[in-house]
Amino acid sequence: MSQTPPTTDEILRLDHLTKHFPVGRGLLFSRQRDIVHAVEDVTLGVTKGTTLGIVGESGSGKTTTARMITRLIEPTSGTIAFDGLDISNIDGARLRALRRRIQIVFQDPSGSLNPRRTAGQIVAQPLRVHDIPGDHSQRVAELMARVGLSPEHITRYPHEFSGGQRQRIGIARALALDPELIILDEPVSALDVSVQAHILNLLDDLQRERHLTYVVISHDLGVIRHISDQIAVMYLGRIVEMGAASGLVDHPMHPYSAALVSATPSHPGRRQSQRIVLGGEIPSPITPPSGCAFHPRCPKARLISGDHHAAPETCRLHTPPLTPASDGRMVACWYPVEADDNLIDAAHAMTANPG
Amino acid sequence: MDQVATLGVTRPRARSPRASFWAKFTAQPATVIALVFLAVLILAAIAAPLIASLVGHGPNDLYRTQMLDGFGLPRGPNGSFWFGADSAGRDVFIRVIYGARVSLVVGVVATGIAVVIGVTLGLIAGYRGGIVDTLLSRFADVMLAMPLLLFAIGISTACSTTSAGCLRGTLTPGLNLVIVIIAVFTWPAMFRIVRATTLSLRETDFVEASRAIGQTEFSIMRSEVLPNLISPIVVYSALLVPQSILFEAYLTFLGLGIPDSTPSWGGMLDQASQLFSVAWWLMVFPGLFLLATVLAFNLIGDGLRDALDPKTPRRTTRKRAA
Ligand SMILES: Nc1ncnc2c1ncn2[C@@H]1O[C@H](COP(=O)(O)OP(=O)(O)OP(=O)(O)O)[C@@H](O)[C@H]1O
Ligand code: SF4
Ligand SMILES: [Mg+2]
């Protein structure tokens, strides 16, 4: 699918979207509160009919972004525009109307289906809630058939299905109101690898058939690169790199994206020795590192400073903005990866000489 | 749809939820015995006037010449007075049967009121959270911390001094007062369970999914959260019933519950305590019935808990090697 520059065809736009969660320090009566910087200054656009994949480690703020887009939580600051309309602050009837146009599919298909309702009731729920006129049971039967379930499944309870079948029910529910945008938060990561492909194919077919726009979230770049037109890489609440899927996977420009790509097992011809093995843990979003949040783990920064203990001052003190690079790519890095950078050895030197 | 077949993940049709519930519920012989006992007791309580007319003794009929000896002491069980007579010469068997009516009505009605209050407030507190939750929870804590029996005695004494009752006649002595007192002191237990379960249900993805669809909070509470509370509510209700029955017996035993003209097990035990050394049957029969009824409800509560808990394996499934 073709890579489209930002146009009027844009269905979703996030501008400087930020979410901070205040969390108690645990001291009774203490006014002092810590702040989780879950999502920090996210700006992106999604073109109608395409798929944006958001990839990043656990805790990078993917789900929080999804919950803001679906208006399940309020942004701390920034705006969300859907189809040209600022939806960050709407409520009441307008929010209800919006809910018909944006749907969400959850990661854990067993948790997202009410165990006390039959598959048919679950798929009919959006129709009931929005008082859609017409024959609901007929519509439910069509939807179930479309996602690959058979009529006798309608009267069964969620626990009687396999994980893949449950996710099909979740997808049928999301389709019921004919939405334009579907947010899929880790749609296949709870499923067996063999089942994952079936679900991804189904999503692909549905997208073409109904001209759907997807925002797919996953920690698995292998999944993301299969179905995405555009990919956004998140690290500690920020987008560090964004661009057309194939270009980004073939030539990652941010050192973190390069590490992610090198760790994706399905990458052809990739061997263990070619992995960029990052040292250390992802830092706490309560106290994100100064400057570039990736600097404590960044191998490229070591190549620049020539010292495997410290990143250069630029990286430590100044936050790199997301700036346009070649072919419509956006990168947030002072020293983007170049072809002859040996990040594998640089990363190895860091982990071999910790401190 | 042929895709389904190729997936190869279609599970064998599970037993219907109802069938598997019954299989698990009746797996323990003790539960079955408890069920049978309660069924017989309920039938007997309903048919009490019929039984009385068959036997030929009313619950307040006095058989002084027949059943009191020369010293005015009651006579024990015999062919026509199976459980003997009490100090006024009344048939203990018939009174025990009538007493079952009081115990069952108090147990069921008081629990019913406590469940309605506890579930409604618990659902609101758990789902809304925040200040509403704090206020309701503190209120329930205060109720639970009250020296229950002392307060009950206080209220029932205040409302029982005259037949006009208290609160301008809204509470008159007798059955209704006992039921209200018990309900007032038992709802907080139900409240706590419902609140805690709602608190965790509120965070589930299916509640989130309902919100994303656009369902109103009230409708989510009623049609998504409440159905998932049925198991704990049913199990806990079954355990509240015997508690209420015992509570009524205490109150009546202390002379503060059901008046003597209405036969009740607590009242009979009260009388028996004065005559125990000469008339054991006055204590033993109502005591046994009270014990058996309380035990039966508790067993059923345990059985329901096992049967409604999806993690309990059915008895018939093969034991896996640990
Ligand atoms: N309601 C909340 N209160 C406080 N902190 C939160 C809340 N929700 C999320 N967080 C924190 O915000 C950060 C981002 O969380 P988020 O769930 O968005 O990450 P994620 O990328 O979806 O990760 P995962 O792959 O584990 O799902 C995490 O550190 C998380 O602990
Ligand atoms: S800005 Fe510096 S630390 Fe951050 S990714 Fe680029 S090179 Fe690494
Ligand atoms: Mg997540």
Side-chain angles (χ1 to χ4, degrees):
Chain A
M1 302 167 208
S2 67
Q3 166 206 335
T4 341
T7 59
T8 48
D9 249 8
E10 201 170 71
I11 190 165
L12 180 71
R13 167 143 291 272
L14 311 182
D15 259 308
H16 305 289
L17 198 62
T18 299
K19 180 71 193 181
H20 294 169
F21 291 108
V23 287
R25 259 267 173 93
L27 273 175
L28 207 57
F29 305 121
S30 159
R31 288 267 179 83
Q32 208 164 14
R33 306 208 112 198
D34 284 335
I35 299 213
V36 179
H37 299 251
V39 173
E40 200 72 68
D41 197 18
V42 164
T43 296
L44 59 79
V46 186
T47 307
K48 216 171 244 180
T50 67
T51 299
L52 169 73
I54 301 181
V55 67
E57 276 170 288
S58 179
S60 54
K62 307 180 300 289
T63 298
T64 306
T65 307
R67 294 178 73 214
M68 283 193 281
I69 298 172
T70 47
R71 285 297 313 273
L72 289 167
I73 52 175
E74 303 294 316
T76 305
S77 62
T79 57
I80 308 160
F82 177 74
D83 207 8
L85 235 73
D86 183 353
I87 59 162
S88 342
N89 292 307
I90 59 169
D91 55 10
R94 298 176 71 200
L95 181 59
R96 219 173 120 81
L98 177 79
R99 300 240 181 260
R100 291 181 60 168
R101 306 176 67 190
I102 302 181
Q103 286 291 310
I104 181 164
V105 172
F106 293 86
Q107 163 170 12
D108 174 10
S110 29
S112 64
L113 307 179
N114 189 338
R116 299 271 164 187
R117 301 214 170 272
T118 63
Q121 289 171 330
I122 289 168
V123 176
Q125 190 190 356
L127 304 173
R128 252 190 313 114
V129 167
H130 287 274
D131 285 325
I132 304 295
D135 183 356
H136 288 189
S137 52
Q138 157 120 34
R139 176 102 177 101
V140 167
E142 281 167 19
L143 286 163
M144 298 275 284
R146 184 59 200 88
V147 298
L149 294 167
S150 40
E152 75 260 22
H153 287 139
I154 289 176
T155 53
R156 293 194 191 166
Y157 288 87
H159 75 267
E160 298 176 67
F161 292 96
S162 68
Q165 288 173 318
R166 280 185 215 139
Q167 199 56 299
R168 286 169 194 269
I169 298 171
I171 293 169
R173 172 175 60 188
L175 290 175
L177 294 170
D178 262 323
E180 292 149 68
L181 173 65
I182 302 184
I183 316 288
L184 300 119
D185 187 358
E186 304 271 12
V188 296
S189 53
L191 308 178
D192 291 343
V193 178
S194 57
V195 183
Q196 290 191 353
H198 289 288
I199 298 290
L200 293 178
N201 287 340
L202 172 66
L203 290 173
D204 207 34
D205 293 345
L206 290 169
Q207 178 169 46
R208 254 176 286 132
E209 198 177 290
R210 294 167 192 236
H211 203 62
L212 292 166
T213 308
Y214 289 153
V215 174
V216 183
I217 286 169
S218 179
H219 64 276
D220 183 349
L221 186 61
V223 167
I224 288 291
R225 72 197 196 102
H226 255 107
I227 48 171
S228 305
D229 302 293
Q230 299 275 316
I231 294 181
V233 180
M234 280 185 85
Y235 186 79
L236 271 183
R238 289 177 188 273
I239 292 181
V240 294
E241 182 167 8
M242 188 160 59
S246 53
L248 193 147
V249 171
D250 291 342
H251 301 288
M253 292 175 75
H254 193 282
Y256 177 67
S257 319
L260 268 191
V261 169
S262 81
T264 306
S266 55
H267 202 67
R270 190 67 58 183
R271 277 180 286 123
Q272 188 64 28
S273 60
Q274 286 174 303
R275 273 189 62 176
I276 303 168
V277 183
L278 295 178
E281 290 295 309
I282 180 164
S284 159
I286 293 174
T287 49
S290 61
C292 171
F294 188 52
H295 86 252
R297 303 169 78 192
C298 179
K300 170 81 192 202
R302 270 61 184 177
L303 287 182
I304 299 295
S305 67
D307 170 2
H308 44 242
H309 292 311
E313 201 177 274
T314 329
C315 299
R316 281 187 283 118
L317 299 184
H318 306 285
T319 308
L322 194 62
T323 42
S326 52
D327 343 309
R329 189 89 59 88
M330 309 279 284
V331 188
C333 175
W334 296 121
Y335 309 103
V337 178
E338 280 156 37
D340 55 353
D341 286 341
N342 191 341
L343 295 181
I344 299 163
D345 290 348
H348 185 72
M350 281 174 74
T351 45
N353 308 290
Chain B
M1 245 173 293
D2 3 10
Q3 226 178 348
V4 177
T6 60
L7 283 176
V9 284
T10 325
R11 293 189 181 173
R13 185 81 172 94
R15 277 217 241 177
S16 83
R18 195 161 301 162
S20 94
F21 168 80
W22 267 108
K24 279 192 199 170
F25 185 50
T26 53
Q28 295 277 0
T31 318
V32 180
I33 295 171
L35 264 184
V36 171
F37 171 79
L38 282 183
V40 171
L41 187 74
I42 290 167
L43 281 181
I46 293 169
L50 184 69
I51 295 173
S53 72
L54 284 179
V55 176
H57 306 152
N60 286 316
D61 293 353
L62 308 176
Y63 299 91
R64 291 215 169 106
T65 44
Q66 244 173 306
M67 290 307 290
L68 297 185
D69 65 12
F71 301 102
L73 291 176
R75 292 182 205 273
N78 62 38
S80 62
F81 289 79
W82 296 345
F83 292 177
D86 68 6
S87 55
R90 296 174 295 198
D91 185 336
V92 172
F93 172 67
I94 296 300
R95 286 179 72 80
V96 165
I97 300 291
Y98 270 88
R101 296 184 137 193
V102 170
S103 288
L104 292 172
V105 165
V106 170
V108 171
V109 176
T111 301
I113 296 173
V115 166
V116 170
I117 300 176
V119 168
T120 311
L121 297 185
L123 199 55
I124 293 171
Y127 194 79
R128 303 245 77 172
I131 183 78
V132 177
D133 178 29
T134 311
L135 287 177
L136 287 173
S137 295
R138 287 299 89 80
F139 181 42
D141 287 348
V142 168
M143 296 300 288
L144 279 176
M146 289 219 187
L148 195 94
L149 204 54
L150 217 61
F151 264 82
I153 291 169
I155 296 172
S156 63
T157 315
C159 298
S160 301
T161 41
T162 70
S163 62
C166 57
L167 294 178
R168 297 173 186 223
T170 16
L171 289 178
T172 51
L175 195 61
N176 291 345
L177 178 62
V178 170
I179 288 175
V180 168
I181 290 176
I182 294 176
V184 161
F185 285 98
T186 43
W187 72 262
M190 183 58 84
F191 168 86
R192 280 194 161 183
I193 295 217
V194 169
R195 173 187 169 272
T197 318
T198 306
L199 217 51
S200 60
L201 283 170
R202 183 178 71 162
E203 305 295 328
T204 56
D205 278 352
F206 68 82
V207 165
E208 189 103 299
S210 303
R211 269 192 211 121
I213 285 168
Q215 200 164 352
T216 60
E217 299 295 328
F218 177 74
S219 160
I220 293 176
M221 241 198 281
R222 197 196 50 206
S223 43
E224 306 301 317
V225 177
L226 188 56
N228 284 284
L229 290 168
I230 290 192
S231 301
I233 292 173
V234 166
V235 170
Y236 210 68
S237 302
L239 298 174
L240 280 183
V241 170
Q243 206 177 304
S244 306
I245 290 176
L246 271 182
F247 201 10
E248 175 270 320
Y250 291 144
L251 286 178
T252 309
F253 181 84
L254 294 172
L256 300 163
I258 312 290
D260 187 46
S261 56
T262 312
S264 71
W265 296 342
M268 296 171 80
L269 289 171
D270 180 22
Q271 288 181 8
S273 61
Q274 292 146 27
L275 281 175
F276 182 61
S277 53
V278 288
W280 55 268
W281 57 91
L282 292 185
M283 177 90 59
V284 165
F285 291 111
L288 272 182
F289 269 78
L290 182 61
L291 180 75
T293 307
V294 167
L295 193 64
F297 273 110
N298 278 316
L299 284 170
I300 285 175
D302 287 346
L304 283 172
R305 186 176 50 216
D306 290 349
L308 291 169
D309 182 357
K311 283 171 229 110
T312 319
R314 245 186 295 123
R315 266 303 178 83
T316 47
T317 50
R318 273 171 280 124
K319 285 206 184 77
R320 271 175 300 164

